Amino acid sequence: MSEVLEVAISAELAEKIREHGVETYPYECCGALLGRDLGLAENAVSEKKSLSVSREVLSLFPLVNRRDDSPRNRFSVTAEDVKDAEKTARAQGLEVIGWYHSHPDHPARPSDYDRDHAWPWYSYIIVSVQSGVPQDMTSWRLEDDRSGFLEEKIAAMKVSARN
């Protein structure tokens, strides 16, 4: 049985992430993904069975990139930023389920730096912004042993966002 990782996000929220990446270009943008972890669901497709591990993004909490030395290819948030994101999520009856950031003039794939600074369990959405224009958007989850990322399918959500 295989495991499929999936994060659902509305077109409206996906566009807000892209816009945030364009606004901060040529620097990386960053923010928190607020939503719900839906857990495991068994899917029977043809004769193959798979486990779907899914969550849904229902709101965003944009943050300021606190990185002073290399904001073009790194982002940083403070403990206070994380607390503020968690407080906002709780007020909306949600939880912080991940983080998003942009990769100016680079692919929407996690870097070694991203892996070194990520936490397992969370979703990490990355949008590539090439010459100020948003391109690919991908999502990833860090493996528990921190050896690398697993790609997470981004599913379109038809419900409207909360912000």
Side-chain angles (χ1 to χ4, degrees):
M1 187 176 307
S2 64
E3 186 175 271
V4 177
L5 301 175
E6 181 177 87
V7 63
I9 186 168
S10 69
E12 176 187 356
L13 288 180
E15 184 58 28
K16 286 186 180 196
I17 292 172
R18 287 182 182 93
E19 288 171 0
H20 193 187
V22 169
E23 288 168 11
T24 62
Y25 182 86
Y27 303 120
E28 286 194 7
C29 74
C30 57
L33 304 170
L34 312 183
R36 292 191 187 98
D37 190 21
L38 303 176
L40 293 172
E42 191 170 325
N43 302 318
V45 179
S46 303
E47 293 179 12
K48 295 181 181 179
K49 287 189 176 182
S50 67
L51 282 179
S52 172
V53 183
S54 58
R55 48 183 55 143
E56 57 186 5
V57 178
L58 298 170
S59 186
L60 301 175
F61 189 75
L63 293 165
V64 172
N65 183 349
R66 307 287 183 189
R67 192 75 189 223
D68 290 332
D69 57 342
S70 57
R72 287 183 64 97
N73 63 347
R74 306 276 188 267
F75 79 92
S76 180
V77 297
T78 65
E80 195 63 35
D81 291 330
V82 174
K83 285 181 193 175
D84 289 345
E86 290 172 342
K87 181 179 176 183
T88 299
R90 276 192 309 275
Q92 295 178 25
L94 304 173
E95 59 185 311
V96 175
I97 59 168
W99 307 91
Y100 72 86
H101 70 283
S102 62
H103 277 186
D105 300 318
H106 286 281
R109 299 191 58 78
S111 65
D112 289 338
Y113 180 87
D114 291 336
R115 188 190 72 232
D116 292 343
H117 293 85
W119 300 303
W121 185 83
Y122 288 108
S123 292
Y124 289 90
I125 291 180
I126 303 172
V127 62
S128 173
V129 181
Q130 302 289 326
S131 300
V133 179
Q135 304 291 320
D136 295 337
M137 183 180 288
T138 59
S139 189
W140 307 84
R141 290 195 205 175
L142 184 65
E143 294 186 73
D144 289 339
D145 67 2
R146 305 185 60 79
S147 63
F149 283 91
L150 299 172
E151 189 161 8
E152 186 172 50
K153 178 184 173 193
I154 297 178
M157 190 167 44
K158 293 180 172 64
V159 298
S160 63
R162 292 185 178 194
N163 65 338

